[in-house]
Amino acid sequence: MILSNNLHSRFIPPRYHAYLWVLGLFLLINFATRVGLMIFEGDPSYFTLSGLLPILWAGFIYDLNTGFYILIPFLLLALVLGNGPKRRWLHAVLATGLLGLAVFGFLFTALAEATFWNEFSSRFNFIAVDYLIYTREVLGNIWQSYPVTGLLLGLGVVALGLLWWVYPPFWRAASADGGSLPKRLLMSLLFLCLPGLSFFLVNDHWRDSFTRPAERELASNGYYEFMRAFRNNDLDYFKFYKTLTTAQANQLLQHAFHQGQPELKFEPNPMPTAHRVQPTAATLDKHVVLISIESLGADFVESFGGKAGLTPNLDRLAQAGLRFNQLYATGLRTVRGLEAITLAIPPTPGHAVPARQHNTGLQSLGGVLKQNGYVPFYIYGGYSYFDNMENFFTGNGYQVIDRTDVAPADIHHETIWGIADEDILHHAIGVINQQTAQGQKVFAHIMTTSNHRPFTYPEGRIDIPSGSGREGAVKYTDWAIGNFMREASQQPWFKDTLFVFVADHTSHGRGRTDLPPENYRIPMIIYAPAWIQPQQFDDLASQIDVAPTILGLLNLAYVSEFYGQDIRLAAKQHQRAFMANYLTVGYLKNGKVIELMPKQTTQVIDAKTGQALPAEPTTTDEAIAYYQTAAARLNALQKNQ
């Protein structure tokens, strides 16, 4: 034993033993995080032998992989500081201080993962990467939503406790012999090879071996998933996803369009979707007010089968207007909803179009209305630089108005995300009044923000205290919409306006599959009592169908490049919906979800049970045709800008 220890010390200087404690603490904290998330999920199957061991083993692989990277600053410190008594002492002091910061960072990341999991049922992903760009909003939201000071003090206490626990053995090793410079250089190079080796040897295989999304997320860790999302931040569809020949894709896409409207005639146009819309009835010169509502799933709206008592105003509007009961959002973020509503395009992998660098010059709902004499506005209660909204909307035919245009005296309440819904809706009425007084036709797309953490709003509006949770925020937004409609009803343009209420996405990220349809179902109501009779539509439809349906109600003639269809005319014959979670894109049809994933893989999932089904080549090819041609359209746009 003594000989073994001497040989060990001869080849590995004792200083380097200290870093085993760093790695051990990192693995321990990540293990505790994983187990905590499993307990939070509350699924008993995770704690059976067959459920627990695979998750913990795969998790250990990812934690160890990440831990090698964590050791890099310690290894550089060991290399730089020599082996004299003073330098050994200095190394021990600096290494201990670095360990304290590292342990606090490990704990802080674990807490951040827990809050992120609660919101998105996922480890850090592309959302976390995107949020790095908007640190003001993200940090402000955290500060407003959580007791940050108390949490940081608590983390500090736990970090000090762990540091105190490992301090004696860590200090002894850190202040011990570091070896000669050649030996330190050799040891540092050997240890620094570990991150390089892990980069090539550890990949998505371990996580992808699990069939259930929650298991995949639990088996991984936030550090790995964050870097994975960062590397895949701009996915090339034609490199990573299954494709058809261009001729096949175009033919299948046009065949799918004909399923909904057999009489449809395509235009000689590079866009395979290009077709002429020629209504038989006279054009209606009506204003359009479209309110996209933050995070409002159908499960919160009583008239759509959701919770009772939260949305009395929307429920009244639903009873008096057109109600679309089976409409599905394309994603789980506002930027996806804005993309679908504005561009009527499927959610291609990677960033939504508004957040991309090349996002202008596309056919848009506002652009078509502008060609028909409208003045289009995008009116937003937050700052329009967020998610690149200003560049996207101004570059596609809109005038942008945001919180900077609202006088402070007109703001009753605001959060980091934006001013209260009642304030931006009231401001929108002023904008519409100004334009209509000049004889202009107006299209106003208004985006709400109040139904978002920290869920605060002006006191005294509803019977649920501000900041108490999402149900209060939903009820407040509904109150603000009711207040807006009462105020609008007093304006001369009210009777000549088409009002559209549609959610941008739901508030759910947690599901049994990658794309659980129940997490994408949203309400849509179209209200114009002077000229539209109440009616319900129960046919499956997509958020990309919103724009064609609005234009169809106005009987506008135009050449459409949209991928959506007028729900009233085509949905019964061609029922389908699109959905995405960034890496996986899906096509819902005939009770099945066709999932298209990186590495050119596809699978068919039962929409109700979440179980895998046998392959369906015909429907899968149809799904590929939609996404491939949409990706080609965006690639062409990028080359031309």
Side-chain angles (χ1 to χ4, degrees), residues 470-587:
R470 187 176 296 278
E471 289 191 3
V474 168
K475 192 166 187 177
Y476 167 71
T477 292
D478 178 80
W479 177 91
I481 288 172
N483 185 65
F484 167 79
M485 293 301 287
R486 285 188 291 273
E487 187 176 357
S489 67
Q490 305 303 310
Q491 313 306 318
W493 45 265
F494 177 79
K495 65 182 183 302
D496 294 316
T497 300
L498 180 74
F499 293 92
V500 182
F501 306 90
V502 61
D504 61 348
H505 57 85
T506 72
S507 60
H508 303 295
R510 193 179 311 281
R512 46 196 167 65
T513 63
D514 277 341
L515 301 172
E518 63 271 16
N519 286 8
Y520 291 82
R521 182 169 165 257
I522 56 173
M524 183 167 80
I525 301 163
I526 296 180
Y527 177 81
W531 48 286
I532 291 182
Q533 298 301 309
Q535 188 177 353
Q536 291 190 47
F537 294 88
D538 295 317
D539 304 310
L540 177 65
S542 172
Q543 202 174 29
I544 73 170
D545 300 327
V546 173
T549 302
I550 292 172
L551 297 171
L553 284 164
L554 297 173
N555 295 326
L556 285 181
Y558 66 106
V559 174
S560 172
E561 296 179 357
F562 295 143
Y563 280 75
Q565 58 191 20
D566 187 333
I567 299 171
R568 304 166 308 137
L569 304 179
K572 190 170 293 295
Q573 293 78 28
H574 188 214
Q575 300 191 40
R576 83 288 177 268
F578 305 85
M579 52 196 65
N581 69 357
Y582 186 71
L583 290 177
T584 302
V585 294
Y587 186 61

Side-chain angles (χ1 to χ4, degrees), residues 421-502:
D421 288 349
E422 64 185 87
D423 297 328
I424 195 63
L425 290 169
H426 172 75
H427 187 76
I429 286 179
V431 172
I432 299 170
N433 282 343
Q434 183 180 34
Q435 295 297 317
T436 54
Q438 299 172 13
Q440 300 284 358
K441 289 188 295 184
V442 177
F443 168 49
H445 180 170
I446 310 165
M447 181 73 225
T448 73
T449 59
S450 291
N451 186 23
H452 197 298
R453 195 177 298 277
F455 307 125
T456 58
Y457 39 84
E459 295 285 359
R461 303 301 194 256
I462 59 172
D463 56 1
I464 302 176
S466 173
S468 58
R470 187 176 296 278
E471 289 191 3
V474 168
K475 192 166 187 177
Y476 167 71
T477 292
D478 178 80
W479 177 91
I481 288 172
N483 185 65
F484 167 79
M485 293 301 287
R486 285 188 291 273
E487 187 176 357
S489 67
Q490 305 303 310
Q491 313 306 318
W493 45 265
F494 177 79
K495 65 182 183 302
D496 294 316
T497 300
L498 180 74
F499 293 92
V500 182
F501 306 90
V502 61

Side-chain angles (χ1 to χ4, degrees), residues 145-285:
S145 302
Y146 301 100
V148 176
T149 302
L151 289 173
L152 292 178
L153 288 173
L155 290 181
V157 170
V158 176
L160 287 173
L162 289 173
L163 191 62
W164 182 261
W165 175 47
V166 303
Y167 173 75
F170 181 83
W171 179 270
R172 283 195 301 271
S175 58
D177 178 25
S180 63
L181 178 59
K183 186 176 289 187
R184 295 199 311 275
L185 184 60
L186 176 62
M187 289 305 306
S188 296
L189 288 175
L190 287 174
F191 276 108
L192 288 172
C193 285
L194 294 175
L197 287 172
S198 68
F199 178 82
F200 292 103
L201 297 178
V202 179
N203 52 40
D204 294 346
H205 164 75
W206 297 90
R207 67 185 301 281
D208 291 347
S209 63
F210 295 92
T211 56
R212 296 165 63 186
E215 289 177 338
R216 290 199 295 270
E217 298 297 330
L218 288 167
S220 191
N221 68 35
Y223 303 84
Y224 179 85
E225 290 299 317
F226 182 87
M227 292 309 300
R228 177 173 176 265
F230 190 83
R231 291 196 307 269
N232 297 326
N233 213 17
D234 187 15
L235 287 174
D236 182 348
Y237 182 91
F238 293 89
K239 179 179 179 181
F240 291 100
Y241 292 80
K242 189 174 181 181
T243 59
L244 307 167
T245 67
T246 300
Q248 283 178 310
N250 291 349
Q251 183 180 9
L252 284 169
L253 179 68
Q254 293 183 350
H255 175 72
F257 269 75
H258 275 301
Q259 291 177 43
Q261 295 173 269
E263 74 286 355
L264 187 145
K265 302 292 185 184
F266 289 97
E267 293 284 300
N269 187 301
M271 273 294 290
T273 57
H275 60 279
R276 182 166 297 279
V277 178
Q278 191 67 54
T280 56
T283 300
L284 297 174
D285 288 329

Side-chain angles (χ1 to χ4, degrees), residues 598-619:
K599 301 180 183 177
Q600 301 180 354
T601 57
T602 66
Q603 63 180 355
V604 182
I605 301 294
D606 187 292
K608 289 186 177 180
T609 67
Q611 299 299 310
L613 298 173
E616 291 201 359
T618 301
T619 311

